[in-house]
Amino acid sequence: MENKRNIAILGSTGSIGSQTLEVVKNNSELFNVEVLSAQNNYKKLIEQALSFKPNAVVISNEKHYNEVKRSLEPENINVFAGEESLLQIVEYDNIDIVLIAMVGFSGLKPTLNAINAGKQIALANKETLVVAGDIITKNAREKGVNIYPIDSEHSAIFQCISGEFHNPIECIYLTASGGPFRGKNKEFLSKTTKKEALQHPNWDMGDKITIDSASMMNKGLEVIEAKWLFSLKSSQIKVIIHPQSIIHSIVQFEDGSMKAQMGLPDMKLPIQYALGYPDRIKSDFPRFNFLDYPTLTFEQPDTSTFKNLDLAYQALETGANMPCILNAANEIAVSAFLSDKINFLQMSDVIEYCMNTVEVINNPNLEDYVESDNKAREIAKEFINGLKNK
Ligand code: MN
């Protein structure tokens, strides 16, 4: 790399944000933190800012502004609060790459602003592409902005097609671990607890994505994400269960040849690949040992038990604002499950109901997406309240 890259990390206190800071710390000659932001966790944000000395921080929840300001002002770190500040700060001249590690729909507008300001994007927030992949990719093309995926499967695909950009893709296989409930039936799932759902066998992640992994919605969202990142049709995107999470995904070219990217599961690898592209940065992460994994196995996903994957394919087929509806309904369903308002299987019922109820808008613009998101959330909440009263 010629120059040090200046990074803004949106959502720095979450799992991906924290791991990104580890990558930066281990490669301080390559990367400099320019901006950090968090939604609520002001204590961790202050800690991170004191150790990485960014130019500015944004705390989205304005309630914590005074506390953050008091702690960071003596260090000459600019402190801002609120969603509006976040939208402005990504346009800072001194930022080269904006890493989006926020959760859910909240990542959409900051990502769009960063793209429109010509910043390169390292994207960990898959919901942004699920909701408005058409607008995001169109604006990125117009601005000459690259979107580097941090999602491990999409990073794998990106690594496989590197140097192959002129060769058409026949299809891709997104691998899925199957999560903690692989092989379980509906009877079991209707009684499972959030504690069990939060135990992912291979990856250590935030709560929302961990529940999405258990319900297979994570893979569904990733199918839609892949469509936009790699310009694929839904028939070209296949999902295969691979419980060991060693093969991170596979590309099949038109001559039948398949390329896979593999390694031990560690999100720091896709993070540093995205930040350092096209260079691979030397790391001391543990290396894969074949004899620790004498057998790599593959299974068909069980979509009659885990309906979310099918719902995501349906949303992708319908297009328009349907993936946006799917995503909003899922965000409400996951938070209702995490607060014990609905059981595990009812999450799919909430999503299906919203997909059948919220109005389909063809060729949606940004306002249509915002409106569909609001509407789907409202209807999901009504549906959940109705379940309780039955
Ligand atoms: Mn993933």
Side-chain angles (χ1 to χ4, degrees), residues 6-298:
N6 293 315
I7 306 172
I9 305 174
L10 309 194
S12 65
T13 57
S15 171
I16 295 287
S18 306
Q19 293 182 78
T20 302
L21 287 174
E22 274 182 62
V23 167
V24 169
K25 192 169 157 194
N26 293 335
N27 299 281
S28 53
E29 70 294 352
L30 301 177
F31 305 121
N32 170 54
V33 177
E34 194 62 19
V35 173
L36 294 173
S37 91
Q39 173 73 31
N40 273 310
N41 194 345
Y42 67 96
K43 286 187 180 155
K44 190 161 180 186
L45 181 67
I46 291 170
E47 235 171 71
Q48 292 178 334
L50 290 175
S51 113
F52 287 88
K53 305 274 189 291
N55 186 353
V57 305
V58 180
I59 179 78
S60 293
N61 185 338
E62 297 176 27
K63 224 169 53 185
H64 305 303
Y65 174 71
N66 286 333
E67 180 90 32
V68 179
K69 194 170 169 67
R70 203 174 323 124
S71 307
L72 299 182
E73 217 167 32
E75 306 292 323
N76 284 323
I77 297 170
N78 297 302
V79 178
F80 303 96
E83 303 295 336
E84 208 46 47
S85 310
L86 197 58
L87 296 182
Q88 288 168 14
I89 209 153
V90 294
E91 299 172 354
Y92 256 30
D93 278 348
N94 207 23
I95 297 171
D96 301 311
I97 307 179
V98 179
L99 186 141
I100 317 277
M102 302 160 73
V103 180
F105 186 86
S106 63
L108 175 59
K109 283 186 177 174
T111 307
L112 260 180
N113 270 33
I115 290 171
N116 292 339
K119 308 302 182 190
Q120 301 303 307
I121 302 289
L123 190 65
N125 174 257
K126 65 193 80 186
E127 292 91 339
T128 287
L129 281 173
V130 170
V131 169
D134 53 347
I135 298 179
I136 295 282
T137 51
K138 179 170 164 280
N139 287 21
R141 257 195 318 275
E142 283 169 9
K143 295 284 177 182
V145 162
N146 293 315
I147 299 176
Y148 301 107
I150 287 184
D151 211 344
S152 63
E153 296 79 358
H154 305 74
S155 174
I157 302 289
F158 184 55
Q159 293 178 55
C160 291
I161 61 175
S162 224
E164 304 260 15
F165 295 124
H166 59 294
N167 285 321
I169 294 171
E170 186 166 272
C171 68
I172 64 171
Y173 290 88
L174 297 177
T175 51
S177 70
F181 301 144
R182 182 175 60 89
K184 302 294 188 204
N185 59 21
K186 284 187 179 169
E187 165 74 27
F188 176 93
L189 291 176
S190 66
K191 295 193 188 101
T192 189
T193 63
K194 68 181 176 201
K195 192 163 167 252
E196 292 168 307
L198 285 170
Q199 303 291 325
H200 195 279
N202 304 340
W203 297 97
D204 182 14
M205 309 175 288
D207 286 359
K208 158 81 170 40
I209 184 172
T210 304
I211 299 300
D212 283 345
S213 297
S215 72
M216 291 297 284
M217 181 52 93
N218 184 51
K219 212 49 56 179
L221 299 177
E222 288 180 354
V223 166
I224 302 173
E225 181 186 14
K227 175 217 158 74
W228 293 113
L229 281 172
F230 307 114
S231 307
L232 300 170
K233 296 195 208 81
S234 79
S235 59
Q236 292 175 290
I237 309 168
K238 300 168 198 290
V239 171
I240 187 84
I241 304 283
H242 167 45
Q244 297 81 19
S245 296
I246 295 299
I247 293 180
H248 299 307
S249 277
I250 301 151
V251 177
Q252 183 172 311
F253 293 97
E254 290 186 324
D255 59 357
S257 178
M258 301 165 100
K259 281 169 85 173
Q261 186 264 332
M262 58 191 282
L264 293 173
D266 184 340
M267 284 311 295
K268 290 197 290 301
L269 190 98
I271 290 169
Q272 69 170 44
Y273 189 76
L275 294 179
Y277 183 87
D279 296 342
R280 289 190 182 274
I281 301 165
K282 198 173 164 69
S283 89
D284 58 3
F285 306 152
R287 269 34 176 180
F288 176 75
N289 178 349
F290 284 90
L291 301 184
D292 290 341
Y293 294 86
T295 323
L296 298 180
T297 60
F298 305 92

